[in-house]
Amino acid sequence: EYAGHLDSPPMNGLKEEMFRAIQEDDGDKICFLADIEPSLINAEREKTRETPLEVVAKEPNSMLLAATKALCSRGASIEAVTGENDRNPLHHAALARNNEVLEILVHHCGYAALCRRDKRAATPLDIAMETGDHVAQKILTCTHHHHVGESAA
């Protein structure tokens, strides 16, 4: 296992591979790379400083569901705050109206991520309300969540 610095040449190559796997929605490759080097799961993209979950969250009409599930299964931080507006992946998914990814993120996140306020003091739910996205509003409210052991009726 290579335990070098995240900005070393070998790590840059692995980071590029990780972001390529995300764009290709290759969950198996994401898991493989994360197993080789766990720090890749939250590594920032060189030019944009975006995290892997931020990339999938911002993708409009995302089909990056396998990538989202793989990143979450390997412990990608849903609470990581990025960008000039201090937003987490839930904020980005709500803004992009990326509801399938939003649902996966909500399933894996803790309460703190749901309540996180950006620079404008907006939570992910506030953003969903501002955009008029009723589906995202439902996903982000506790009435939507199923409890363990509950069967869907």
Side-chain angles (χ1 to χ4, degrees):
E1 182 174 316
Y2 179 77
H5 189 267
L6 271 176
D7 291 326
S8 67
M11 283 302 297
N12 283 335
L14 286 175
K15 279 199 286 188
E16 288 174 21
E17 280 300 309
M18 176 62 83
F19 284 102
R20 189 170 13 264
I22 290 166
Q23 290 304 122
E24 294 169 357
D25 199 32
D26 189 340
D28 291 336
K29 187 172 185 181
I30 291 166
C31 290
F32 174 77
L33 290 167
D35 289 344
I36 291 172
E37 180 50 58
S39 66
L40 290 172
I41 215 73
N42 291 308
E44 293 180 345
R45 191 177 242 170
E46 291 304 311
K47 292 183 170 109
T48 62
R49 312 295 295 169
E50 294 169 308
T51 65
L53 273 184
E54 184 179 353
V55 170
V56 297
K58 285 180 169 180
E59 190 73 28
N61 304 314
S62 180
M63 293 294 114
L64 301 179
L65 304 181
T68 306
K69 289 175 185 175
L71 290 166
C72 288
S73 77
R74 289 302 191 265
S77 177
I78 299 170
E79 294 185 27
V81 174
T82 56
E84 62 187 37
N85 291 312
D86 291 339
R87 292 182 172 149
N88 69 22
L90 296 172
H91 289 100
H92 295 300
L95 192 60
R97 301 177 78 124
N98 192 346
N99 293 331
E100 290 178 272
V101 166
L102 182 62
E103 191 153 19
I104 296 166
L105 295 175
V106 166
H107 180 74
H108 285 88
C109 79
Y111 187 69
L114 287 166
C115 297
R116 173 73 178 154
R117 295 186 179 276
D118 66 9
K119 270 195 178 164
R120 295 185 309 116
T123 65
L125 180 57
D126 292 331
I127 290 174
M129 291 171 69
E130 289 169 6
T131 62
D133 189 338
H134 299 291
V135 174
Q137 291 171 38
K138 185 176 179 184
I139 292 168
L140 289 162
T141 59
C142 56
T143 58
H144 177 73
H145 307 291
H146 297 286
H147 297 285
V148 176
E150 231 180 65
S151 60

